[in-house]
Amino acid sequence: MAAELTADQLTAQHRPTLDQALEAIRTRAYWSPHPEHPKAYGEHGSLDAGAGKAAFDALLGTRLDLGQPGTDDWVGGEVSPYGVELGVSYPHADVDVLLPAMRAGQPAWRDAGPELRALVCVEILKRISDRTHEFAHAVMHTSGQAFMMAFQAGGPHAQDRGLEAVAYAYAEQVRTPGTAEWTKPQGKRDPLALTKEFTPVPRGIALVIGCNTFPTWNGYPGLFASLATGNAVLVKPHPRAVLPLALTVQVARQVLTEAGFDPNLVALAAERPGEGIAKTLAVRPEIRIIDYTGSTAFGDWLETHARQAQVYTEKAGVNTVVVESTGDYKGMLSNLAFSLSLYSGQMCTTPQNLLIPRGGVATDQGHKSYDDVVADLARAVDGLLGDDARANALLGAIVNPDVKARLEAAAGLGEVALASREITNPEFPEAVVRTPVIVKLDGAKPDAEAAYMSECFGPVSFAVAVDSAADALELLRRTVREKGAMTVGAYTTDPDVERSVREVCLDEAAQLSLNLTGGVYVNQTAAFSDFHGSGGNPAANSALCDGAFVANRFRVVEVRREA
Amino acid sequence: MAAELTADQLTAQHRPTLDQALEAIRTRAYWSPHPEHPKAYGEHGSLDAGAGKAAFDALLGTRLDLGQPGTDDWVGGEVSPYGVELGVSYPHADVDVLLPAMRAGQPAWRDAGPELRALVCVEILKRISDRTHEFAHAVMHTSGQAFMMAFQAGGPHAQDRGLEAVAYAYAEQVRTPGTAEWTKPQGKRDPLALTKEFTPVPRGIALVIGCNTFPTWNGYPGLFASLATGNAVLVKPHPRAVLPLALTVQVARQVLTEAGFDPNLVALAAERPGEGIAKTLAVRPEIRIIDYTGSTAFGDWLETHARQAQVYTEKAGVNTVVVESTGDYKGMLSNLAFSLSLYSGQMCTTPQNLLIPRGGVATDQGHKSYDDVVADLARAVDGLLGDDARANALLGAIVNPDVKARLEAAAGLGEVALASREITNPEFPEAVVRTPVIVKLDGAKPDAEAAYMSECFGPVSFAVAVDSAADALELLRRTVREKGAMTVGAYTTDPDVERSVREVCLDEAAQLSLNLTGGVYVNQTAAFSDFHGSGGNPAANSALCDGAFVANRFRVVEVRREA
């Protein structure tokens, strides 16, 4: 078929963006082509706030027909954490039909080469970016994130992570040239001379298993890394967060078609309630790559059983902040209060354990006892969330009943320093909105250890009293080693303690934020600059994004002949 | 301790070599800093032929004390395939002492950074290169390779593969800068500004499990890739091929000491007969990386059970050459005859199945029937090996009784087109030297399939009659997909057949050599240019050497703070 989107057009439009992304991952300076501000949209073909909302509303109650082969049923049933029934239905696939259809387009996609594949991916991201307002509502009403967070994390930040993966995938594939002339001297005899051709080839079909809380942010890196390296990609969304990924698949299929490729290179695998198709799909021989974000139990299951595939997992972890001393007590408290509150602590990067010496903490406002620090932090959270409108904008909604149950149970684990409050969301009265709970625990007590050494996903933090900075560091080391961590934070003005914290993080491969007191938070990472996870502790076996995340999604085949 | 080898000295001496290696892996043009000709040695501190032989002779019957902690016994007992008892004994380790000792030096090695680590590795390789003549005898008398092959493959070619791994490891680690300044605009407010520090950190202790046939060539890539990325490396040689790797460990320990690092960053794990320590070591929690070359059974065991480690395996495969047509019949026959004879077919890259249409082959010398081609190939092998001296120089010795038994059994699998002959080695009368056997099989017969669809490691090839070129390609595809292949060869003058062979190799991720008729053979690959294996079919899960081979041997830890 004649491509509506030619390689020349794509090059002219997107090669500069790709080049900037390549430069950004090299320098790791700030960069993003995707505006963060809602008002930046509405021109150059992008939807503004009203149009985005209207587009989202128009989706409700409809059947999203992606034109996929092997569609044997229609499934759906998402209910927003804000109470809205989405009523969207999606194709249910007969995978024995869909998977072969997905393979059919792979040779042409492989033969397109790394640059054209990257440019097609950038076009997909551009179209998604233009619909950021629409996606924001889709993310909000599946994850329970408040609108602004759904807009930013589910929109530009997710698009950034996708583009970052495209850049890494492109760079990795072009490290080996397409062709080489090899001439080996043989003394007085004629040299040996070979012509060599090198082709990146895909592994097969990649499976993306999406999560409930960050469907796009956590889904895009694997999706785009696999697609840009020549693989077809099957997207299996979380049953409660289908819409954002279904829209993504729809855009990808449209762009692939326009660029002259088989749309079945990207497909959706929505499921019936309780069907559990991830387990079935994960061990299909056609599936050669899996990206997964979710529970440790299922991540471990995938790593153990999906042996035919490269498996990239982000699982549970226990994130720690060491509070040893600070030169900006107020800044520390407000920074921590924000970190604990954002999206009701439902981020894999939210701090859970705050390790505070029972002898207290030296600060610019004098010595603060353990009790002082905990009470002041509780007050800081209260202050931050005192206004219901602001609280709603920060907290979002509790994503599912399990989180609510954990939150309610947490109060029984120790002395409650800050009780969780219910907040009413006037726009969405059915939303379950809760402020975080802070529970005091004695680090030396074995029964407390059972609590603070397990991930308690949601708005629950433990203020763990430790004997000393050294004790805190030992507990930090043990926590990261045994439970994993996506993030570590530390507050200290003591160079020795800082060195020691850094040493623990280097030893245990944990990403460390030091003395954050301003507008950057330990639970946020920026694409092109920060690594999300390290891939070196039990919380995740890969990082977003580095060479290791992309290098094994393709292989290089050499064809050599005498010159 | 004061380093005798300073970073400045190492930079002056080896940075140019590293830079050339980095350029070579980028262009994949011919390059090597390690001379192939035995007469090139003897100056600039390197041992000439006589000194190398004398050094090797002086090792015989001695105890190789590496000064390793936790040495609880001395073990040895290698007998050369040429009949010589080496009589060298090696330290046997109490791993509960040795492993902790190996970890002690890791922080300093990590803190040295990618460049200094790479330069220390280049110095190790330089010292090994200087002793190439000595290593050649050690490789010869453990692998059974003839001297010249032991010299080249065990010396410069192995060193090239080691240096290639160092270059990839270095390049991978410096893709992320050591530090970055990140400044994010905030409209009218002050920008957010962070200082970020990025440190490549090792995974832990790497285990190299050596093989009998190519102890250095197959051992060096993993050893140097892991060491250059900051890991300590424990080398577990094959019990019949300890000496070349023990000498390697000795050199590495010496250089590490001189450069001011802990020698225990590299250690040897020799074993008692039947001890099978690879299985024990492979699942130790300290072991985080494993490189293995050997049987599919143990490779699969490692991939299944050593879940705490990154496992890189090269296992068995069935290599195919498709003979469809040729414009240089004589060149094809002599090229194939050499490939089948070299080291008695005891290479993982030696062709096993020659697929020949039963209707014959078009050549520059007219049409040749299946029987003609097989008979002419048999004659070519006979001619190549007709002179006993040349035969000994090409064939080497049979490495172990299993290979001899397989060779003897092969004659019963079908009609013998070329019988294996015994050759006497006048210098080493105990050596088992055999010419290859070529057995005719009908590709359509199920009982033949059992033979040609299994790896028959050693000097055994099957001339498999197929119905057509299309039939050959289908069998090639099935063989690679089900059994794996390190190499594929094809002879064809038909552009359609060439396209189809290439397509099969791209689909199944197999490395293809087309129409080789001169002095390059399908079983040989050159470091810095050719990939050894693809990592994309069952013969190996990684290739030597690419980004994927090194990228997951370390992780990057970020420490960020407000600027």
Side-chain angles (χ1 to χ4, degrees):
Chain A
M1 103 185 67
E4 299 165 45
L5 270 175
T6 67
D8 285 350
Q9 285 172 336
L10 289 167
T11 303
Q13 285 172 38
H14 299 312
R15 181 72 221 200
T17 305
L18 180 61
D19 286 336
Q20 285 174 289
L22 291 166
E23 175 71 2
I25 60 174
R26 203 183 61 72
T27 67
R28 307 200 83 78
Y30 171 77
W31 180 73
S32 169
H34 302 118
E36 268 185 336
H37 201 292
K39 291 193 178 154
Y41 295 79
E43 293 185 354
H44 310 296
S46 68
L47 302 183
D48 66 10
K53 178 69 165 57
F56 171 74
D57 287 342
L59 288 166
L60 300 178
T62 65
R63 171 178 287 184
L64 204 69
D65 188 347
L66 301 172
Q68 290 184 183
T71 298
D72 59 12
D73 199 0
W74 298 90
V75 293
E78 293 152 288
V79 178
S80 165
Y82 290 97
V84 181
E85 285 197 29
L86 303 195
V88 186
S89 63
Y90 308 95
H92 181 276
D94 175 348
V95 292
D96 290 324
V97 176
L98 181 58
L99 291 177
M102 294 183 72
R103 290 170 79 149
Q106 280 195 314
W109 185 237
R110 173 193 74 206
D111 293 344
E115 186 180 22
L116 184 51
R117 280 195 297 271
L119 297 171
V120 168
C121 288
V122 178
E123 173 70 16
I124 295 169
L125 286 162
K126 170 69 170 68
R127 303 251 186 125
I128 291 170
S129 171
D130 284 346
R131 292 166 63 178
T132 293
H133 271 284
E134 180 185 356
F135 272 81
H137 291 284
V139 170
M140 175 181 173
H141 285 291
T142 48
S143 69
Q145 291 175 23
F147 178 78
M148 190 53 131
M149 178 165 178
F151 185 93
Q152 293 187 337
H157 298 171
Q159 295 150 20
D160 282 350
R161 283 286 177 199
L163 181 57
E164 178 188 57
V166 172
Y168 268 102
Y170 172 78
E172 195 66 35
Q173 292 173 90
V174 299
R175 288 174 81 173
T176 302
T179 58
E181 297 298 323
W182 180 89
T183 305
K184 180 176 178 178
Q186 296 290 292
K188 290 171 190 159
R189 286 174 295 151
D190 285 344
L192 299 174
L194 294 178
T195 296
K196 303 178 180 187
E197 175 203 2
F198 301 97
T199 306
V201 301
R203 284 201 168 268
I205 301 178
L207 176 66
V208 174
I209 303 176
C211 69
N212 198 170
T213 47
F214 289 91
T216 56
W217 199 98
N218 276 97
Y220 284 3
L223 193 171
F224 284 99
S226 288
L227 189 61
T229 49
N231 304 279
V233 182
L234 181 60
V235 179
K236 205 300 285 177
H238 191 283
R240 284 194 293 265
V242 182
L243 185 57
L245 288 176
L247 293 176
T248 302
V249 168
Q250 189 180 44
V251 171
R253 293 174 64 86
Q254 182 65 34
V255 171
L256 284 164
T257 303
E258 290 177 29
F261 297 101
D262 190 330
N264 296 323
L265 288 166
V266 179
L268 186 78
E271 60 192 315
R272 299 190 187 95
E275 190 179 358
I277 55 170
K279 267 198 170 174
T280 316
L281 288 171
V283 295
R284 289 279 301 212
E286 300 94 333
I287 300 295
R288 304 298 306 278
I289 300 169
I290 297 174
D291 286 271
Y292 168 75
T293 310
S295 74
T296 294
F298 192 55
D300 288 348
W301 187 91
L302 287 170
E303 292 174 20
T304 304
H305 292 93
R307 307 301 312 285
Q308 86 292 352
Q310 304 289 316
V311 179
Y312 303 87
T313 56
E314 184 187 319
K315 301 174 286 192
V318 174
N319 302 318
T320 298
V321 174
V322 175
V323 179
E324 191 271 339
S325 53
T326 178
D328 181 0
Y329 188 58
K330 206 176 147 209
M332 177 185 86
L333 294 173
S334 66
N335 188 282
L336 280 176
F338 187 94
S339 283
L340 302 184
S341 303
L342 184 63
Y343 186 28
S344 309
Q346 298 172 118
M347 301 175 74
C348 57
T349 51
T350 303
Q352 174 177 305
N353 294 343
L354 314 172
L355 309 189
I356 305 164
R358 61 181 92 245
V361 166
T363 82
D364 57 319
Q365 296 181 23
H367 180 267
K368 301 288 180 184
S369 71
Y370 165 84
D371 286 335
D372 291 340
V373 174
V374 179
D376 290 341
L377 179 60
R379 260 189 295 275
V381 173
D382 251 349
L384 180 68
L385 304 175
D387 173 76
D388 275 8
R390 192 162 60 174
N392 274 305
L394 259 181
L395 294 167
I398 298 297
V399 67
N400 66 45
D402 290 349
V403 174
K404 181 159 169 274
R406 268 196 300 270
L407 169 62
E408 286 162 359
L413 295 170
E415 182 192 338
V416 173
L418 175 68
S420 176
R421 289 192 299 122
E422 290 190 33
I423 306 269
T424 301
N425 186 318
E427 192 183 356
F428 299 105
E430 291 177 59
V432 178
V433 183
R434 294 287 185 280
T435 66
V437 65
I438 301 178
V439 178
K440 288 173 154 184
L441 294 174
D442 186 335
K445 295 215 171 136
D447 59 332
E449 182 171 326
Y452 66 72
M453 284 295 276
S454 305
E455 189 190 51
C456 190
F457 187 81
V460 178
S461 291
F462 300 119
V464 182
V466 294
D467 292 340
S468 61
D471 188 27
L473 295 180
E474 197 40 51
L475 179 52
L476 168 64
R477 183 187 292 275
R478 190 155 61 86
T479 306
V480 177
R481 188 178 292 180
E482 295 177 11
K483 300 296 167 184
M486 296 302 291
T487 58
V488 173
Y491 291 89
T492 181
T493 56
D494 182 330
D496 288 340
V497 173
E498 181 181 316
R499 255 192 302 277
S500 300
V501 173
R502 180 179 173 277
E503 195 71 15
V504 169
C505 289
L506 293 179
D507 287 351
E508 306 301 331
Q511 308 297 15
L512 173 62
S513 295
L514 269 171
N515 296 321
L516 296 184
T517 56
V520 175
Y521 305 96
V522 65
N523 30 351
Q524 295 180 322
T525 63
F528 309 109
S529 183
D530 294 318
F531 292 106
H532 174 75
S534 79
N537 70 56
N541 77 0
S542 55
L544 301 180
C545 187
D546 61 8
F549 188 69
V550 298
N552 222 347
R553 292 175 193 260
F554 69 98
R555 303 281 68 217
V556 176
V557 171
E558 175 181 352
V559 179
R560 60 182 188 169
R561 66 189 87 207
E562 286 156 8
Chain B
M1 102 186 67
E4 299 165 45
L5 271 175
T6 66
D8 285 349
Q9 285 171 336
L10 289 167
T11 303
Q13 284 171 38
H14 299 311
R15 181 74 220 199
T17 305
L18 180 61
D19 286 335
Q20 286 175 288
L22 291 166
E23 175 71 2
I25 61 175
R26 203 183 59 73
T27 66
R28 306 200 85 78
Y30 171 77
W31 179 73
S32 170
H34 302 119
E36 268 184 335
H37 201 292
K39 290 192 178 156
Y41 295 80
E43 292 184 354
H44 311 295
S46 68
L47 302 183
D48 66 11
K53 178 67 165 60
F56 171 74
D57 288 343
L59 288 166
L60 301 179
T62 64
R63 170 178 288 183
L64 204 69
D65 188 346
L66 301 173
Q68 290 183 184
T71 298
D72 59 13
D73 199 359
W74 298 89
V75 294
E78 294 152 288
V79 179
S80 164
Y82 290 97
V84 180
E85 285 196 27
L86 302 194
V88 186
S89 63
Y90 308 95
H92 181 276
D94 176 348
V95 293
D96 290 325
V97 176
L98 182 58
L99 291 176
M102 295 183 71
R103 290 170 78 149
Q106 280 195 316
W109 185 236
R110 173 193 73 207
D111 293 344
E115 185 179 24
L116 185 51
R117 281 197 297 272
L119 297 172
V120 169
C121 288
V122 178
E123 173 69 17
I124 295 169
L125 285 163
K126 171 68 170 66
R127 303 254 185 124
I128 292 169
S129 171
D130 285 346
R131 291 165 64 177
T132 294
H133 271 285
E134 181 186 357
F135 272 82
H137 292 284
V139 170
M140 176 181 173
H141 286 291
T142 48
S143 68
Q145 291 175 23
F147 177 79
M148 190 52 130
M149 179 166 177
F151 185 92
Q152 293 187 338
H157 298 172
Q159 295 149 22
D160 283 350
R161 283 286 177 198
L163 181 56
E164 179 188 56
V166 171
Y168 268 101
Y170 172 77
E172 194 67 34
Q173 291 171 92
V174 300
R175 287 174 82 173
T176 303
T179 58
E181 297 299 325
W182 180 89
T183 306
K184 179 175 179 178
Q186 296 291 293
K188 289 170 192 160
R189 286 173 294 151
D190 285 345
L192 299 174
L194 294 178
T195 296
K196 304 179 179 187
E197 175 204 2
F198 301 97
T199 306
V201 302
R203 282 202 169 268
I205 301 178
L207 175 66
V208 175
I209 304 175
C211 68
N212 198 170
T213 47
F214 290 90
T216 55
W217 198 98
N218 276 98
Y220 284 3
L223 193 169
F224 284 99
S226 287
L227 188 60
T229 48
N231 304 278
V233 182
L234 182 60
V235 179
K236 204 300 287 177
H238 191 283
R240 284 194 294 263
V242 182
L243 186 55
L245 288 176
L247 293 175
T248 302
V249 168
Q250 190 180 42
V251 170
R253 293 174 63 86
Q254 181 65 35
V255 171
L256 285 164
T257 304
E258 290 178 31
F261 296 101
D262 190 328
N264 297 324
L265 288 166
V266 179
L268 186 77
E271 61 192 316
R272 300 191 187 93
E275 190 180 357
I277 54 170
K279 267 197 170 174
T280 316
L281 290 171
V283 296
R284 291 278 302 210
E286 300 94 333
I287 300 295
R288 303 298 306 278
I289 300 170
I290 299 174
D291 286 272
Y292 168 76
T293 311
S295 73
T296 294
F298 192 56
D300 288 347
W301 186 92
L302 288 169
E303 292 174 21
T304 305
H305 292 92
R307 306 301 312 285
Q308 85 294 351
Q310 303 288 317
V311 179
Y312 303 87
T313 57
E314 184 187 319
K315 301 174 285 191
V318 173
N319 302 318
T320 297
V321 175
V322 174
V323 180
E324 190 272 337
S325 54
T326 177
D328 180 1
Y329 189 57
K330 206 176 146 208
M332 176 185 87
L333 293 173
S334 66
N335 187 283
L336 280 177
F338 187 94
S339 283
L340 301 185
S341 303
L342 185 64
Y343 187 28
S344 308
Q346 297 172 118
M347 301 174 73
C348 57
T349 51
T350 304
Q352 173 177 306
N353 294 343
L354 314 171
L355 309 189
I356 306 165
R358 61 182 91 244
V361 167
T363 83
D364 57 319
Q365 297 181 24
H367 179 268
K368 302 288 179 183
S369 71
Y370 166 82
D371 285 335
D372 292 340
V373 174
V374 180
D376 290 341
L377 179 60
R379 261 189 295 276
V381 173
D382 251 350
L384 180 69
L385 304 175
D387 173 75
D388 275 9
R390 190 162 63 173
N392 274 303
L394 259 181
L395 295 168
I398 298 298
V399 67
N400 67 43
D402 290 347
V403 174
K404 183 159 166 276
R406 268 196 299 271
L407 169 62
E408 287 162 358
L413 295 171
E415 182 191 337
V416 173
L418 175 68
S420 176
R421 288 190 301 119
E422 290 190 34
I423 306 269
T424 302
N425 185 319
E427 192 184 354
F428 299 105
E430 291 177 59
V432 177
V433 184
R434 294 287 185 282
T435 66
V437 65
I438 302 178
V439 178
K440 289 173 151 181
L441 295 174
D442 186 334
K445 294 212 172 139
D447 59 332
E449 182 172 324
Y452 67 71
M453 285 295 277
S454 306
E455 189 191 51
C456 189
F457 186 80
V460 178
S461 291
F462 300 119
V464 181
V466 294
D467 292 340
S468 61
D471 188 27
L473 295 181
E474 197 40 50
L475 180 52
L476 168 64
R477 183 187 294 274
R478 188 156 61 89
T479 306
V480 177
R481 187 177 293 178
E482 294 177 12
K483 300 298 166 180
M486 295 302 291
T487 58
V488 172
Y491 291 90
T492 181
T493 57
D494 182 330
D496 287 340
V497 173
E498 183 181 314
R499 255 193 303 276
S500 299
V501 173
R502 180 179 173 277
E503 195 72 15
V504 169
C505 289
L506 293 179
D507 286 351
E508 306 301 331
Q511 308 297 13
L512 173 63
S513 295
L514 268 173
N515 296 321
L516 297 184
T517 57
V520 175
Y521 305 96
V522 66
N523 30 352
Q524 295 179 323
T525 63
F528 309 109
S529 183
D530 294 318
F531 292 106
H532 174 74
S534 79
N537 69 59
N541 75 1
S542 55
L544 302 180
C545 188
D546 61 10
F549 188 69
V550 299
N552 222 347
R553 291 174 193 261
F554 69 98
R555 303 279 71 215
V556 176
V557 171
E558 174 180 352
V559 180
R560 59 182 190 171
R561 68 190 82 208
E562 285 156 7

